[in-house]
Amino acid sequence: MRQHSVIHTPKISDYEELTRVWEASVRATHDFLPDSYIELLRNLVLTRYLDAVMLICTRDRQQRITGFAGVAAGKIEMLFIDPEHRGQGLGKQLLRYAIERLNADELDVNEQNPQALGFYQKQGFEVIGRSEVDGMGQPYPLLHMRLRQSQQRSNHA
């Protein structure tokens, strides 16, 4: 987190870069998704999904986006880190900001993405439900997660 200590609000002009980070992250962590589905989702991320959330991001020294999150109605709808910047605390930083400043305490994670599931559990989230399909109705099960009550109290103390 050394050079990533500031959370930024991206602009519409950053959408292409955000989508690049999204795609790189998905390709690195969602090996269960076919290319055709990633392409379909990529277009939706660029044209619809980014506009539907409050966005926050981290940037490197050259002001390139290294990770981002999107929150809507108390739910973290997206959190993606550029694969070259994984393991530097950016996901934790964005997640903490979303919890503490944007009042987010819920999220969904692909059941077939054990790295993300483990990350969220380590950050205090627990599984509260499951869907057989993703938000597009495709057979990629989602786990619904919520921040444990004890974690919520400690974050707001």
Side-chain angles (χ1 to χ4, degrees):
M1 274 199 299
R2 298 155 297 285
Q3 69 269 32
H4 301 280
S5 59
V6 177
I7 298 287
H8 300 272
T9 303
K11 299 176 177 65
I12 292 174
S13 59
D14 292 318
Y15 280 16
E16 284 285 344
E17 190 175 3
L18 290 167
T19 303
R20 180 199 60 75
V21 170
W22 174 87
E23 184 174 5
S25 179
V26 166
R27 290 190 182 280
T29 59
H30 294 62
D31 57 1
F32 53 92
L33 295 177
D35 278 350
S36 59
Y37 195 54
I38 292 173
E39 288 300 319
L40 171 70
L41 290 173
R42 182 190 191 287
N43 185 50
L44 290 170
V45 167
L46 182 61
T47 62
R48 291 195 195 157
Y49 296 165
L50 294 175
D51 276 335
V53 295
M54 177 178 293
L55 290 165
I56 55 175
C57 70
T58 53
R59 295 180 184 269
D60 64 14
R61 288 187 177 125
Q62 290 77 39
Q63 293 304 301
R64 290 180 301 230
I65 294 172
T66 53
F68 74 95
V71 176
K75 186 174 181 183
I76 299 163
E77 296 288 351
M78 53 184 80
L79 194 158
F80 295 95
I81 305 300
D82 187 305
E84 293 179 21
H85 297 275
R86 287 180 65 195
Q88 298 176 15
L90 300 179
K92 184 176 180 179
Q93 182 183 2
L94 288 163
L95 185 65
R96 289 287 137 219
Y97 188 96
I99 292 166
E100 295 168 9
R101 306 257 178 102
L102 304 178
N103 299 313
D105 64 356
E106 293 188 6
L107 57 87
D108 291 338
V109 65
N110 287 101
E111 185 176 68
Q112 295 156 292
N113 186 350
Q115 288 180 353
L117 176 60
F119 167 76
Y120 291 124
Q121 287 173 324
K122 188 176 177 184
Q123 300 307 314
F125 283 79
E126 61 188 346
V127 176
I128 58 167
R130 182 181 185 272
S131 297
E132 286 291 325
V133 295
D134 68 6
M136 300 274 291
Q138 297 302 303
Y140 306 109
L142 294 176
L143 297 175
H144 310 300
M145 302 187 82
R146 182 178 299 139
L147 192 62
R148 284 188 207 93
Q149 291 298 322
S150 60
Q151 293 292 115
Q152 289 180 18
R153 281 192 296 277
S154 66
N155 285 329
H156 296 295

